[in-house]
Structures are given as structure tokens and as C-alpha cells.
Amino acid sequence: MSLPKTLAEDVARNLVMVARLIDEDPEQAYAYSRIALRLASRVAAVREAAGFAAYATQKYSEALAEFRAAKRMTGSVELWPVMADCERGLGRPERAMAMAGEPEVQKLDKAGQVEMRLVAAGARRDMGQIDAAIVTLQSSELASNAVHPWTPRLRYAYADALLAAGREDEAREWFGKALEADKDGATDASDRLAELDGVEFVDALDENDEGENDVAQSSAAAADDDQEKDQGGTPEA
């Protein structure tokens, strides 16, 4: 759907702000998405952006409605995994599992299929089926040594599921593999490894603050002692 030039520019400005803020300030991104939605609710890109903004603020019912609208407009299935994850967010993991078995999944590209596998494993965990979650994540993509954008998250999810099942040694191995693939810091695999190894990190800034406080307190105590001496004067004979 085409929009008049001025309106299109207004919508574009709001969508740019949504993309810019969605990670650092999702509530503000959501506010911009609502403006774009009021201006152009019949544009699929606007409905999709509104969906992601609602998803980022955990408004899962609203997000799901927007994603469904965008899917109807475009006929694309690429939003299928995030739609299933909205079902999880709404406390309906069984629906997410049902979506994982629908024909739409076969139409997804490799990244989309991996994302669907992650959502399905999460749904299994929601239902207390940790062993089934582990099996769900076991795949050729997990076994491959090739690194793709989704590799760190897939390995991390597998490690986390293994740890939840009490398989600590295997979990440590897979957190390590996740860290090897995670060049952009998409996961906290390094922290999880350190936690498993009993390493505790201390914030250097906090240490400095404590040191400065100790010095300040010592200085204040010394000043009080000097003041007491001055006030005491020389004893009378």
C-alpha cells in the first residue's frame, strides 16, 4: 500500500525510532510504534514493527495480533516462530508446540527453522519436559562445526537445558562451545561458565568506591581526634 509522501515520511521517521530504541528503551520504541500504527495501520511493515515493539515490552497478546495482521497482509511465514513464542508468553506452551508441527515451519529458511526449534524447546521446558527439550535441540545444526548467526544461541540453549537436567559436565562443554561461537556477546555464556567453575567477579568500580569510603572515613576520624585535642587545651596546674 502506497502512502502520500508527507505521511510516508512521518511513518518512516517513527519506524526508524522504533528500530533505534527497541533494544535500549523498548517502552519508548513501543510509543513510537503506536504513532506509526495510528498513521498507517494498513501497511504490513508498520504492523510488524508494532508487533516487535509490543513483544519487547512483553505485551504478548497485542504482539500476536499485530504479527497475525502482518502475516495476513504479506502471506509470509517468517513471523511464525515469534508468533509461537508469543503463545509461550501468554502461558500457552501447548499452542506453541502445535505451531511447531504445522506446515508453515517447512516453509521457513534455515534461520527460521532453528528459531522455531528454540521456541519448541522452550515450550517443552515450560511444560516441565526437560528431557524432551534436550532432544528437541539435538539436530544437525547443533552438531555442525560451522558458525552461523544463530549458532551461539542454539548451543547456549542446549547447555542451559543440560544444566537444568543436572548434566553439569556436558553443560560446561556446551557453554564453552557457545562462547567460542559468540563473537558479538549475544549470550552470557562466559558468565555461566565462570559460575559453574565457582569464579566470582567483583566489580572494580565498587571496590574503588569502598576504598575511597574507607579513606574518607579514616580522614574524618583523624580530623575528629585533632579537634578533640584542640578543644581539650592545656590542663590546669
Side-chain angles (χ1 to χ4, degrees):
M1 177 182 178
S2 59
L3 298 172
K5 181 179 179 181
T6 302
L7 179 58
E9 289 174 350
D10 287 343
V11 171
R13 278 194 292 269
N14 282 283
L15 293 183
V16 167
M17 293 306 296
V18 172
R20 183 179 299 172
L21 294 170
I22 196 163
D23 291 327
E24 61 185 59
D25 191 349
E27 289 291 347
Q28 192 63 36
Y30 175 77
Y32 278 107
S33 77
R34 301 306 296 176
I35 296 172
L37 197 57
R38 286 198 298 270
L39 294 173
S41 62
R42 296 185 180 181
V43 175
V46 171
R47 303 303 290 265
E48 183 175 330
F52 278 110
Y55 179 81
T57 53
Q58 300 183 2
K59 298 177 176 65
Y60 297 117
S61 181
E62 187 175 320
L64 185 57
E66 297 300 341
F67 290 142
R68 284 172 173 166
K71 181 178 179 295
R72 284 196 301 270
M73 292 175 179
T74 64
S76 172
V77 298
E78 66 178 11
L79 294 172
W80 197 253
V82 72
M83 289 168 64
D85 207 38
C86 286
E87 295 287 6
R88 286 186 60 213
L90 290 167
R92 302 190 296 237
E94 69 286 347
R95 293 195 186 182
M97 283 304 306
M99 291 179 69
E102 293 292 332
E104 282 82 353
V105 176
Q106 303 306 315
K107 300 175 185 177
L108 294 168
D109 61 13
K110 181 62 67 177
Q113 290 180 4
V114 170
E115 194 65 35
M116 193 69 240
R117 189 177 293 276
L118 288 167
V119 173
R124 288 291 190 190
R125 292 190 63 171
D126 293 343
M127 294 186 287
Q129 301 171 3
I130 187 61
D131 290 336
I134 291 171
V135 172
T136 298
L137 292 168
Q138 292 171 343
S139 60
S140 59
E141 293 84 10
L142 180 68
S144 174
N145 291 323
V147 175
H148 302 277
W150 38 260
T151 300
R153 292 178 57 240
L154 180 60
R155 293 178 179 178
Y156 182 95
Y158 188 59
D160 193 47
L162 289 169
L163 187 60
R167 296 159 62 175
E168 186 172 309
D169 290 342
E170 293 173 87
R172 180 182 286 103
E173 177 188 354
W174 280 96
F175 277 128
K177 290 182 178 182
L179 182 59
E180 288 175 5
D182 193 0
K183 305 304 181 185
D184 299 324
T187 72
D188 64 347
S190 60
D191 293 340
R192 300 297 298 276
L193 273 172
E195 183 180 332
L196 283 171
D197 292 333
V199 177
E200 183 176 349
F201 293 103
V202 178
D203 194 323
L205 291 177
D206 290 343
E207 277 193 339
N208 290 338
D209 289 343
E210 289 176 3
E212 290 174 0
N213 288 337
D214 290 342
V215 170
Q217 290 173 2
S218 298
S219 299
D224 290 342
D225 289 344
D226 291 341
Q227 186 176 1
E228 288 178 4
K229 290 178 182 179
D230 292 343
Q231 290 174 348
T234 303
E236 293 182 0

